[in-house]
Amino acid sequence: GQQVMQIPQYQHVQEGEDFTTYCNSSTTLSNIQWYKQRPGGHPVFLIQLVKSGEVKKQKRLTFQFGEAKKNSSLHITATQTTDVGTYFCAGYSGYSTLTFGKGTMLLVSP
Amino acid sequence: NAGVTQTPKFRVLKTGQSMTLLCAQDMNHEYMYWYRQDPGMGLRLIHYSVGEGTTAKGEVPDGYNVSRLKKQNFLLGLESAAPSQTSVYFCASSYLGLAGATGELFFGEGSRLTVL
């Protein structure tokens, strides 16, 4: 079945440093979604990418979808303590459900 | 805006007991899902439903049953709870997106279940 791998599992940065998490799928994806889960909270949708090579920005967050539609990345510029949480990617490849990666936990020290 | 509501939020069970988690959504979404989240394991799909009266197995369905008698409700049942079912359970719903793809998922706040 479809697998979505996400790296790193965990990253600890100093406030102001950049952060990137990567997502790789075993199959070509129709679209990919990104979610953020704050500690003790529930996952919240951030964005969806659909087109090959697509790049979207949300303030300090930049999302990319690979040309082959099998990988994606989330980059945060100049992290803040409010960025703390776990970031999940989730890919859709034509079945009825998304397949989630295991997430990258981000810790930001002031 | 209630969105997706899960009840109960916390529950402690003894091994062998049964219980039902209720998920209700007020967004008229067709799709509903039950996930479990364990440390280091991400979100694993238990069961899902693509419409009223339909259910399907996900990645980890054993030990769970579900029902979708009404479009707005999705119930997750544990017939005989086991310590391995200690987890945080999330319900989610979504609309049907472009070209049949799943739209964004709206999650409930979670239900923390402990089985002793």
Side-chain angles (χ1 to χ4, degrees):
Chain A
Q2 180 187 349
Q3 291 188 333
V4 175
M5 308 298 293
Q6 200 172 345
I7 56 170
Q9 283 188 311
Y10 171 85
Q11 189 151 5
H12 185 181
V13 301
Q14 295 293 315
E15 190 172 23
E17 293 181 337
D18 292 357
F19 159 78
T20 304
T21 173
Y22 300 91
C23 188
N24 292 286
S25 171
S26 59
T27 60
T28 301
L29 300 171
S30 298
N31 64 58
I32 194 160
Q33 299 178 2
W34 285 91
Y35 292 79
K36 177 183 179 181
Q37 184 177 21
R38 295 182 186 275
H42 59 279
V44 174
F45 175 81
L46 292 175
I47 207 162
Q48 176 171 275
L49 304 172
V50 179
K51 299 177 182 177
S52 170
E54 189 170 15
V55 178
K56 287 188 176 180
K57 293 189 176 183
Q58 289 180 348
K59 297 183 180 178
R60 294 177 294 103
L61 277 61
T62 301
F63 303 84
Q64 293 188 335
F65 200 9
E67 293 291 340
K69 301 184 75 173
K70 295 183 73 173
N71 58 76
S72 182
S73 65
L74 158 60
H75 179 81
I76 302 178
T77 303
T79 55
Q80 299 176 358
T81 54
T82 53
D83 295 325
V84 165
T86 300
Y87 293 85
F88 293 96
C89 63
Y92 180 77
S93 63
Y95 301 100
S96 296
T97 64
L98 292 170
T99 299
F100 278 83
K102 292 186 177 181
T104 296
M105 182 184 297
L106 172 64
L107 182 62
V108 181
S109 295
Chain B
N1 285 357
V4 178
T5 303
Q6 294 181 227
T7 53
K9 288 184 170 45
F10 301 93
R11 184 74 187 269
V12 178
L13 288 177
K14 294 181 179 179
T15 297
Q17 288 185 319
S18 64
M19 75 157 296
T20 300
L21 296 175
L22 171 63
C23 178
Q25 53 98 0
D26 62 1
M27 296 172 283
N28 201 35
H29 285 165
E30 290 293 334
Y31 289 14
M32 295 188 75
Y33 314 81
W34 276 107
Y35 289 90
R36 61 176 289 171
Q37 185 173 41
D38 304 292
M41 299 298 292
L43 292 158
R44 293 186 291 170
L45 183 64
I46 304 171
H47 286 280
Y48 66 99
S49 168
V50 300
E52 181 179 318
T54 72
T55 62
K57 294 181 180 180
E59 179 186 358
V60 289
D62 293 343
Y64 305 94
N65 57 76
V66 289
S67 64
R68 182 105 181 264
L69 299 179
K70 293 183 178 181
K71 185 176 183 178
Q72 65 267 33
N73 295 337
F74 196 29
L75 278 64
L76 178 70
L78 285 72
E79 291 185 345
S80 180
S84 61
Q85 294 177 305
T86 293
S87 188
V88 179
Y89 292 86
F90 286 101
C91 175
S93 70
S94 70
Y95 54 87
L96 190 62
L98 295 173
T102 305
E104 67 177 273
L105 268 59
F106 292 81
F107 284 85
E109 294 186 345
S111 298
R112 185 175 296 276
L113 175 65
T114 301
V115 183
L116 303 175

